[in-house]
Every structure is written in structure tokens, then in C-alpha cells.
Amino acid sequence: MSGQTPSGWIRRLLSPRWQHPNAEKRREAAERLDAERPEAQGRLETLAQDPDARVRQAALSRLTDPETLLALLDGDASPELTTRLTALLVGHEPGVGLDRRLTLVERLEHPRLLHDIAMQGDNQQLRLAALARISDEAALIDQACENGIAAVRRAAAARIESEAGLRELSRRARRDKQIHRLAREALNRRRADAAQADAAHEKRERLLSALEAHVTHAWEPLYAGRYRHLKREWEALKDLPSAEQERRYQDAALACRKVISDHEAHQQAAESAHQQRENDDETRLGLIELLEESLAGLRQNERLTHQDMASMRAQKHLLDQRWEELSDRHPPQDALRARHDQALADYHRLDVAWARLEQHAETLERALTDHERDRLVALLERIDWPHDLPPPDAIGQARAQLTPPPSPRRDAEPAASREAIERGLATLEEQLKRGAFKAASRLHQQLRHQLEALPSEDRQTLESALKRQGAQLAELRDWRGFVAAPKREQLCQAIEALAEDDRLDADALDRRHRRLVKDWKALSDAAATRELSQRFRAASERIHERLSPWREQQQARRVQNLETRKALCEQLEALLASPDPEADPDALREIRDKAREQWQRCAPVPRQQAQAIGRRFATLSHELQTLIDRRAQEIAVAKRALIAEARTLSGSSQPATQRARDAKGLQRRWRALGRAPKGEEQALWREFRDLCDEIFASREAEYDDQAARAKARLDAMQAVIDRFDAWQPSSSADEPTLEDAIAEIEALKPLPPGRRAEGMRKRWAGIVRARRDRLARLAVNEEILAWQSLQALLTAHLAADRKALDGLAPSDVPAPEGLNGDMLKAHQDRNAARRHPPAYQTITDALTRLRVHLALLAGSGLAHQDEPLRLAIQVERLNESLGREPSRAEELHSVLCSLLATGPVAAEHWEREAPELDALLHQMLPLPPP
């Protein structure tokens, strides 16, 4: 009382008994409280949570309302509260009806309380209601095996679904044959379903593997059919695939469809290119035939005129343009190229002969007028007109002056002339149908003269036809005159208005003047009168006078354009004189196109030099195109060689990675070569690309194979990790099992890089550390247990030591059965020490040192006076661990052997050291949780 303050004992005196500090007083107060009173109800609820178990039990015994107790129930409910609730809800105490108990059980979440109600309930319905709230499979197994009601056991067994749970239920329910049979049937059914699911899964995996392998398979005619077959097999499976399987299937199916669509696109493109090539070849053939027919038609004419040459040149220009466009798409066939070159050579021979004729035209005209025979002969030699071509009028006149006409032959000439006249009549009829009045008029005049030269007997049949066509020609002339009269009047009015118009610039004025002159000339002599001709000519001359300054400027511009074209031709000649053998066709094509653009910009040129410079540029363009074709063909040959190398590389046995690197080198060489002929380039590139795709596909397949092997290694390592994560060694003898697992993991290395592999390595390292630590603790535990088994031997040694220290004759303690190794030697050393006991201080120091060493091993604290000895032991341990550091168990074994060998020990000394030694050993004895 003297130690308490006045306020403390006053507070104890005045406080209620149910709040008394003494638990016994609170228990007595709880037994006296009436639960029917509201204030007592609250006090009982407070006491139901009292720290003292007896107080809680007394308070709970006074509470009879289960809802009040349920309100007190939480995760850390006391055993007394659980027991009281169980008693109220299972029906052991009256006062709570079944319906109310069922309602309360349906709200319960406490597992232990539900378990007890299902086991002990006084009603089957109550037990089933509690069982329905249980979700833990282990609790359901207990109910299925231990519950006293068969219906409850069957209901619990029916809710067990896992294979492990069914096996456990089958093992524990052997006494209940019905539950055992239900468990076995459910287990067999589950295993059958699992086997069926595994078989279906395996079949889907096989189909997926086949479909994924089909993606990288080389194309063959049955590729699409094989894909459709695999697709039908996949769709025919009844089970549902997993999300991963569905994703893999969709990816593989999409890749297969892409391969099929790409092949179909390639096939369609190839067919389109082939059809385009055939169409282009047909167009080329038509162009060549048209040029050949024109040349042949020229040879059949009797005379060659300027109009014929202009038509021929226009046709040849059109042929060059079309031929160039077609050659840009793909090169022509050799036969067509040879035929084209021959036709161009024939045209060139005609064009060169015509150019020579134009060069000497004025001189030849004067020689014909002067009838200078020698000059005619010399001019004909210079002109050198081909004999297989029809001569122009000047050449024909010159030959006529130099060669007298041969005497007519009556045998073969009429027949030949008749055939020519018949052909001429057919041509004349055609020209009349087309409305070609000028050509028909000239041909009609020629045929009339030729017909007069025929004998009278051959003339009659042809004259009627010629007269009929003459009538058609006269009708055509009248019609032209009828149409042309108002047209001429309109042209005169238009040109006179144009001559008076001062608002037009020179270019527009010249353009309209030319168009009017062209329209006037097109009318030829139809409805021509002197008055209209003079009006038209006068207006035209006024326009010429207005355009005179502008024409001079145009002439200067033409001269400048001519010089530019000549310079362009000289540049092309210099290029073609020494072409680069490694020239890029694309660069040559660019030069060709730019030359054409510049040529077209430099127009017009003086008319006198236009044909000569045009022929020069055409010849150079042809030679440049020939060089382009030759270089493109050389590149095509080089690319075919690369295709052959790619095909050899695709079939070689080198590693896929090396083949892919070589294929990239081939691709670099392909790009460095330039382009082959346009049409051929695409076909070569497709073939080369397909071969490269095969090589890269094999590399991807090898990568996939490596990835599959890496995944298999990761899965194998995962299996080992999962197996040993659940494994705990039970003794130190299990260390070889761990070493085998480590060797198994090492055999799976090297692992592929990645987060999964890194995570698995870290997890495995943690597992190995934990298992090694447990093995080390097990070894220490085994050493301690082995030492504890030697307590009888130690007691015998202590008794023998006491006798020896008391002066009696030393006696040897016999070794127990099974003692061997270091412990046997320590036992023998202890017996020997009694015969030759060391000094007492030596024994004391040895025991102290062993105690400190043991404290270091146990990780226990030491007294201040033992610190120097601790440091000395640590230094000694460091020096001894320079070779191989002993394990904790080995060090403990050494200390215990030394402890057994140390003696003789006085009883009072051992009694001082033994408790602390035992405490240290007990501190090291517990194992960590598994």
C-alpha cells in the first residue's frame, strides 16, 4: 500500500467490478450480470473480448443471442467465442429455432465455425446449409470422410473436382464404399476427360505445327490444297481451342493465305506480262509489216515523188516512236529485231539515196535542160540511185536521155502491161472510194496513156472499166467544185479579215495564215477562178510583209536551234565513239531521254538543213538505243549468272545464316549491276527474289528451330525449378539430389537471353541458396542430435573424471556400439587424458574456448571478457579457411569432438559450463520452416 499513490487505490476502490484490474473479480462480475438488461448486455459484450480466457468464457455463457455473438466475430475470434457460437448454432442449447439457425448459417463466412456446424449440427438440412458455405477443398474432403450423415458426405464428395482432391478422397474414404466408389468414378471420369482433352490438344498442336511448317514450305502445285485440307481438319475438331492456339492458327492461316495470294498475284502478273509481251510483239510485227509493205509499194510504183518520201518519213518516224515505247517495256525477239533492222536498212538506203538526189537536184535539172550527156552520166554516178527502187522524175528523165527506148516486143510486153493496167484499175477504184481526187486523177491519166499503148484486141475489155472510173472521177470533180466554191469565198474573206486585224501577235497571225493557206491548197483546182486566186494571194502577201521582221527573228532562232542540235549530235557522237563498257543502262537511258527533250526544245530549224540534221540525230539515237540494248543484255546475262548462284546457294548444305549473308551479298551485287531490259528485268527480279526469299525463309526456319530448342530448354529448366521448388531436403544425405539437379540445370545451358531466362536464373539461384542453407542446417541439426545421443557416454566420462580427480585409479570408459571416426578418437583421447591429466587451468581455458567457439557458431552474444578470445578464434578460422572453408556442420563436429576429448573435467566446473553449452546447442537445433 505504501508504494501506491492515493489516486490509484481510490480509483480501484470506486471502479465497477466488471472493470476491476483483477481478472477473477471481472469473472465473478460477468457471472452476476443479467443479459436481459440493456446495460448488462453491453458490459457482457465488452467482457466477451476480455484478455483473460476465463472472463471471456463466463461472459459468453451469459449471452444467448447468436446474432450478438456473430457481431463480435472477426478474423481473430477467440476459441471461446467460436465454441459458444458452435454450441448455439448446432442446437446443443435450446432457445434458437432451426429456421433462425439456417438463416444465420447462410450469412456465415468463418471456415472453422462452418466446419463444426457441418460436423455437429442436429439437423441434416442445417449441416447441408453449412456445407454449402464451405469452399476449401480440404475441408470438403474432411466432411466427405468424417461426417456422420451419409447425405452430407455425398454432397461434400460431389463438390470435390480437382484430381489431387479426388485421389485424397479415394484414399481416405476406403471405409465408406459408396464415397470411395464415387471418388474413383469421378477420378476416372476426370482422367478420361483430361486424356481426351490432351489428345484433342495434341491433335490441335500437330495441326498447328503442320500449318506453321506449311507457311515456310516452298511453293508447289498442291500448296493451296494442302492448306485447305489442314483448315478443314482444324474446323472439324469438336473441342474449343485455347486463346493461344486460336492466335497461332489465325497467324498461320493468314500467312498461308498471303503466300497463296502472292503466288496468284505473281502468276497473274507473269501471265499479264506474257500477254503484254505477245501483244507488243504483235504490234512490232504490224509496224514492221507496215514499213515493209510501204517499201514494197514504193518499189512497185513507176515513179517516186516528194509526197511518197514525205509519207514514208512520217511513217518511219511513227514506227521509231512506237518501237522505242515497246522497247522500253521489254526487248524484242531476235527474229523481230533482225527483221526490223533489215527494214530500217532498206529505208536508210532509200533515204540516203534521196538525200544525194536532193543535194544534186539543181545541177541535175540544169543538165537535163541543157541536154549535157556527160554531166548527166557523172551526176547519175554520184547520186547512185538503187536500181531496185522506182526512180524519181529527174532520174527517169536523165536515164531516158541517156538510154534510147527499146524496141517494143510483141510477145511478153503486152501481157505485162495488161497486168499492170489491171492492178492500176483496182488501185484507182479504191482511191475513188476514198475520195482521193488528186491521186486518182494522176493514176487515171497514167492508165489512159498505158491503155493507148496496148493492142486493140487487149484494149476493149479494159476501156469500159477505165471509162466507168473516168465518169466517177468526173463526178468527184464536179462534187468537189460544188463544195469548194463557197469554201474558197469563205477562205478569201477570212484571209482578208486576217490581213486587216492588227490586234494579233505575230505568232498567232502566222499560225492562222498557215492554216488558211493549207486549207486553200487542199482545195487544189476545185472551183478555182483567177479573181479569187488574186484576192487570196494579195491578202497573203500583205500578211507576209507584216510578218517579215518576225520571220527574220524566227530564222535567227532556227539557226541557233540548228547549232544547238549540231552540238547535241556532236556530244552523242563523242559518247558513242568511246562508250564505257561498264556504262549503266539507266544512265544511258537518262542521256537518251534528255537528248530527246533538248532536241524537241530546239525546234524549229532551217528547212534546208532539217532533214540532214534529223537523219543524223535519228542515226545517233538508233546507235545509242543499240548501245543501251547491248548493255542491258549484258546486265541481263550477269543477272542470270547471279540467279544461278542464288539457286546453287539455295540448294547448298551451308548453315542457313551463312547462306543468308551470302544472299545479301548477291543482292548488293544485283543492285550494283543496273537494270536489264525493262520487260526482262521484272521477270529476272521475280525469279531472283523468290530464290532469296527461300534462303531467308530457311534462315527464319532455323531461327524458329533455335527458338523452339531454346523454349524446350527453358521449359525443361522450368520443370526442374518447379520440381525443386516444392522439394525440401529431409536430411543432409539429400545433398546429392541437389547436386544432380544443379548438373541437370548446367546441362541445359546456355539459355537464350531474355527476361524469362534471367528470372529463371535468379529464381534457381534463390532455390539453390535456400536448399543449401537448409542442408547446412540439417547437417548441424544432425550433429547436435548425434551429440545428444552421446549424453550417456559423456556422463560416464564425467563420472570417470570425478574418480580420477578424487585420486582413484583412472579407468577407461568403454566405447558404445556404433561410435567411430572422429568421435571414437575423441573418446580414446578422453580416456588417455585421465591417465595423464593436464593442468586444471588448461582444462578451464579449453572449455572456455570451446564455449566461445560454440557461441560464435550459434551467433549468440558474448560477455565482455570473452571478446579477446572471440577475436583469436576468428583469426584462427580465417587462417584455416585459406585452403577450403569448412562448413558450419564440420566446424561444429570439430568443436563437439574437442569437447568430448577435453578432460578430466571437475564436476563443479562442468556444472558451470554445461547449461550454457546446452543452451547454445538448443539455440542451433531448430530448423527453418520448409
Side-chain angles (χ1 to χ4, degrees):
M1 292 293 295
S2 60
Q4 294 181 354
T5 63
S7 60
W9 64 265
I10 292 175
R11 187 165 53 252
R12 292 182 55 192
L13 181 64
L14 297 178
S15 62
R17 296 182 64 83
W18 66 275
Q19 293 180 337
H20 200 279
N22 191 339
E24 184 63 26
K25 299 294 184 180
R26 293 196 304 274
R27 184 187 64 80
E28 293 175 356
E31 290 178 348
R32 295 191 185 98
L33 290 174
D34 186 4
E36 300 296 331
R37 299 172 58 188
E39 64 276 8
Q41 178 80 17
R43 293 171 183 176
L44 287 173
E45 291 178 3
T46 303
L47 292 174
Q49 299 176 353
D50 195 88
D52 191 82
R54 293 178 300 164
V55 176
R56 293 196 302 271
Q57 187 173 6
L60 290 170
S61 64
R62 305 295 296 171
L63 295 173
T64 59
D65 186 7
E67 291 189 0
T68 302
L69 298 178
L70 285 175
L72 301 175
L73 191 66
D74 56 15
D76 297 328
S78 63
E80 294 78 12
L81 177 59
T82 306
T83 303
R84 179 60 176 167
L85 268 174
T86 303
L88 290 174
L89 294 178
V90 300
H92 291 173
E93 292 189 11
V96 183
L98 178 62
D99 294 338
R100 187 181 180 193
R101 282 185 288 154
L102 287 173
T103 303
L104 293 174
V105 167
E106 290 176 355
R107 291 162 42 196
L108 277 180
E109 297 290 344
H110 197 279
R112 184 61 195 173
L113 189 58
L114 289 171
H115 180 273
D116 293 342
I117 295 172
M119 281 290 187
Q120 305 171 21
D122 61 346
N123 183 273
Q124 175 178 321
Q125 186 179 359
L126 180 66
R127 293 195 182 192
L128 290 176
L131 182 68
R133 304 289 294 171
I134 297 175
S135 58
D136 182 60
E137 193 172 71
L140 291 174
I141 294 175
D142 290 340
Q143 295 291 338
C145 296
E146 306 297 337
N147 203 289
I149 299 178
V152 179
R153 292 199 303 272
R154 288 195 298 271
R159 293 179 56 192
I160 299 172
E161 297 179 353
S162 70
E163 185 175 353
L166 290 172
R167 286 200 301 269
E168 179 67 15
L169 178 62
S170 175
R171 184 183 65 81
R172 291 179 56 186
R174 295 186 182 276
R175 289 179 297 177
D176 191 335
K177 293 184 179 180
Q178 185 178 11
I179 299 299
H180 177 72
R181 178 176 57 79
L182 291 175
R184 295 305 302 173
E185 289 177 353
L187 186 60
N188 293 335
R189 185 167 57 253
R190 180 179 179 84
R191 288 175 177 173
D193 293 342
Q196 185 178 2
D198 290 342
H201 180 80
E202 183 64 25
K203 187 171 183 180
R204 283 195 181 274
E205 286 294 327
R206 287 198 304 271
L207 286 176
L208 278 176
S209 300
L211 191 59
E212 290 170 343
H214 192 58
V215 172
T216 59
H217 196 276
W219 177 263
E220 57 180 356
L222 297 178
Y223 188 95
R226 175 64 175 164
Y227 163 68
R228 289 191 294 270
H229 173 71
L230 293 174
K231 181 180 178 182
R232 285 194 299 270
E233 286 193 355
W234 176 272
E235 294 173 350
L237 295 177
K238 302 299 183 182
D239 65 311
L240 294 177
S242 63
E244 177 65 18
Q245 286 179 332
E246 184 65 24
R247 183 191 63 78
R248 289 173 57 196
Y249 170 74
Q250 293 298 337
D251 291 344
L254 181 62
C256 284
R257 289 196 297 270
K258 184 178 182 302
V259 171
I260 295 172
S261 63
D262 288 347
H263 178 76
E264 291 176 351
H266 291 164
Q267 189 76 14
Q268 185 176 1
E271 293 176 357
S272 177
H274 180 71
Q275 184 64 36
Q276 182 66 37
R277 182 186 292 269
E278 290 183 351
N279 294 338
D280 291 348
D281 289 341
E282 291 179 1
T283 305
R284 283 196 184 94
L285 182 60
L287 292 173
I288 295 172
E289 289 177 349
L290 183 59
L291 182 60
E292 290 174 345
E293 289 177 0
S294 299
L295 290 172
L298 286 180
R299 293 189 184 95
Q300 293 177 2
N301 291 342
E302 293 183 357
R303 290 290 183 268
L304 188 64
T305 63
H306 286 278
Q307 185 177 0
D308 295 333
M309 280 304 299
S311 175
M312 196 69 203
R313 284 171 178 165
Q315 183 178 346
K316 194 266 180 184
H317 180 68
L318 177 61
L319 181 140
D320 287 342
Q321 289 182 342
R322 295 290 294 135
W323 187 273
E324 183 179 340
E325 293 175 1
L326 296 173
S327 298
D328 287 342
R329 286 200 288 267
H330 67 272
Q333 298 179 3
D334 294 339
L336 289 176
R337 184 190 298 275
R339 193 168 172 183
H340 174 258
D341 293 342
Q342 182 61 41
L344 288 182
D346 294 343
Y347 169 79
H348 187 65
R349 188 163 63 92
L350 172 62
D351 193 42
V352 170
W354 187 265
R356 290 196 302 268
L357 174 62
E358 289 183 338
Q359 184 179 1
H360 300 89
E362 295 179 1
T363 307
L364 182 60
E365 187 68 28
R366 287 195 301 270
L368 287 173
T369 304
D370 299 338
H371 298 281
E372 296 179 3
R373 186 179 183 86
D374 294 335
R375 290 183 65 187
L376 289 176
V377 172
L379 289 172
L380 288 178
E381 289 179 357
R382 291 177 188 175
I383 295 173
D384 191 18
W385 187 264
H387 292 283
D388 58 338
L389 295 175
D393 292 337
I395 297 294
Q397 294 174 10
R399 287 178 179 176
Q401 287 188 12
L402 294 177
T403 304
S407 59
R409 299 176 58 183
R410 303 295 298 176
D411 49 356
E413 181 67 22
S417 298
R418 181 183 177 86
E419 293 176 359
I421 292 173
E422 289 177 350
R423 289 196 302 269
L425 289 172
T427 305
L428 178 59
E429 185 175 0
E430 195 140 340
Q431 290 175 349
L432 290 172
K433 290 180 180 180
R434 295 201 311 266
F437 175 75
K438 288 185 178 181
S441 180
R442 287 197 303 269
L443 184 56
H444 181 269
Q445 189 69 20
Q446 292 176 6
L447 291 175
R448 192 175 61 185
H449 290 306
Q450 291 175 5
L451 193 59
E452 291 175 355
L454 285 179
S456 59
E457 60 272 14
D458 296 331
R459 190 188 310 166
Q460 296 177 358
T461 57
L462 300 174
E463 277 185 348
S464 58
L466 185 60
K467 287 179 180 180
R468 185 179 66 253
Q469 292 176 354
Q472 294 177 2
L473 182 62
E475 184 179 353
L476 180 59
R477 182 184 298 110
D478 296 339
W479 174 253
R480 289 176 71 247
F482 176 75
V483 174
K487 179 67 173 176
R488 285 188 183 275
E489 183 64 31
Q490 292 175 3
L491 290 175
C492 286
Q493 293 175 0
I495 198 168
E496 288 172 350
L498 183 62
E500 299 298 330
D501 192 353
D502 297 332
R503 295 171 300 175
L504 294 176
D505 58 1
D507 191 11
L509 180 61
D510 180 69
R511 187 167 56 253
R512 293 189 183 183
H513 175 253
R514 289 179 180 275
R515 185 167 63 249
L516 292 173
V517 171
K518 182 180 179 181
D519 293 343
W520 182 272
K521 290 182 178 180
L523 296 177
S524 185
D525 57 349
T529 63
R530 183 181 299 275
E531 181 184 358
L532 291 175
S533 298
Q534 289 177 352
R535 284 176 58 191
F536 189 87
R537 190 179 303 112
S540 178
E541 288 175 357
R542 291 199 303 271
I543 293 175
H544 276 294
E545 290 176 1
R546 286 178 57 188
L547 293 175
S548 179
W550 179 78
R551 291 185 186 277
E552 291 177 359
Q553 295 177 2
Q554 291 295 313
Q555 183 63 23
R557 182 182 173 189
R558 287 190 178 92
V559 173
Q560 184 180 358
N561 289 338
L562 178 62
E563 295 300 325
T564 305
R565 285 190 172 185
K566 287 181 179 179
L568 178 60
C569 290
E570 291 173 358
Q571 293 175 4
L572 292 177
E573 288 171 349
L575 173 64
L576 294 172
S578 57
D580 185 3
E582 301 296 330
D584 186 4
D586 287 337
L588 294 176
R589 291 186 183 98
E590 186 176 359
I591 292 173
R592 178 199 63 192
D593 296 338
K594 289 184 177 179
R596 289 174 180 169
E597 291 176 3
Q598 188 176 0
W599 179 271
Q600 293 173 358
R601 286 197 303 269
C602 297
V605 296
R607 188 174 302 172
Q608 296 80 4
Q609 292 86 8
Q611 292 185 359
I613 195 66
R615 286 193 298 271
R616 182 180 177 188
F617 182 76
T619 302
L620 293 173
S621 298
H622 178 71
E623 293 177 0
L624 180 58
Q625 185 62 45
T626 303
L627 176 61
I628 293 172
D629 294 343
R630 184 172 70 251
R631 281 292 302 132
Q633 287 297 330
E634 292 173 358
I635 291 175
V637 172
K639 288 192 172 182
R640 290 192 190 96
L642 287 180
I643 290 173
E645 292 184 31
R647 185 175 290 105
T648 303
L649 184 63
S650 177
S652 66
S653 58
Q654 294 181 359
T657 307
Q658 179 63 36
R659 284 188 289 153
R661 284 197 294 268
D662 295 343
K664 289 182 179 179
L666 293 179
Q667 288 180 341
R668 287 192 294 270
R669 289 166 58 189
W670 182 282
R671 288 192 294 268
L673 283 175
R675 284 195 306 139
K678 187 173 183 181
E680 196 171 354
E681 171 71 19
Q682 300 300 323
L684 292 174
W685 168 244
R686 283 194 296 271
E687 185 175 1
F688 181 73
R689 184 187 61 188
D690 291 343
L691 292 172
C692 290
D693 289 345
E694 290 180 7
I695 295 172
F696 293 138
S698 63
R699 181 191 62 180
E700 294 301 324
E702 182 173 317
Y703 285 166
D704 293 343
D705 187 44
Q706 292 176 357
R709 291 197 298 270
K711 184 178 182 300
R713 291 200 302 271
L714 289 176
D715 293 342
M717 184 173 181
Q718 185 68 49
V720 175
I721 290 174
D722 292 341
R723 188 170 74 248
F724 277 86
D725 191 20
W727 174 77
Q728 292 289 344
S730 58
S731 68
S732 61
D734 292 337
E735 186 174 1
T737 304
L738 179 61
E739 296 300 329
D740 292 343
I742 294 173
E744 186 176 355
I745 292 294
E746 290 297 326
L748 295 175
K749 293 180 178 179
L751 294 176
R755 289 185 296 178
R756 182 187 178 191
E758 187 63 26
M760 292 170 67
R761 277 194 290 265
K762 291 181 180 179
R763 184 184 175 193
W764 176 245
I767 291 173
V768 170
R769 284 196 302 271
R771 301 303 176 268
R772 287 191 186 280
D773 181 67
R774 183 172 178 82
L775 286 171
R777 289 177 178 269
L778 285 171
V780 170
N781 186 270
E782 291 169 359
E783 288 293 337
I784 295 173
L785 294 178
W787 171 258
Q788 291 176 353
S789 66
L790 296 178
Q791 292 304 307
L793 176 63
L794 183 61
T795 301
H797 276 295
L798 290 173
D801 291 346
R802 189 183 308 111
K803 292 178 181 179
L805 292 176
D806 290 343
L808 300 177
S811 59
D812 291 342
V813 176
E817 185 178 357
L819 189 66
N820 53 22
D822 294 339
M823 283 296 179
L824 178 61
K825 185 177 182 307
H827 165 73
Q828 294 171 354
D829 292 344
R830 183 72 172 264
N831 287 332
R834 280 194 294 273
R835 292 190 293 271
H836 305 286
Y840 177 79
Q841 189 62 36
T842 303
I843 298 297
T844 302
D845 293 344
L847 287 176
T848 303
R849 183 182 181 88
L850 291 174
R851 175 176 54 78
V852 172
H853 199 161
L854 196 61
L856 287 176
L857 292 177
S860 179
L862 294 173
H864 180 70
Q865 62 271 17
D866 292 333
E867 284 296 323
L869 190 57
R870 178 183 66 81
L871 294 175
I873 293 173
Q874 286 180 340
V875 171
E876 182 180 347
R877 291 170 70 188
L878 289 174
N879 293 332
E880 291 178 354
S881 64
L882 293 178
R884 185 188 71 85
E885 182 179 0
S887 65
R888 191 173 177 218
E890 292 174 348
E891 199 170 353
L892 177 63
H893 180 77
S894 175
V895 170
L896 294 178
C897 288
S898 299
L899 185 61
L900 180 62
T902 301
V905 181
E908 62 276 8
H909 190 189
W910 180 256
E911 289 176 357
R912 287 196 307 270
E913 296 288 346
E916 190 169 356
L917 292 173
D918 288 341
L920 292 174
L921 290 175
H922 279 287
Q923 184 178 346
M924 299 170 62
L925 186 62
L927 290 175

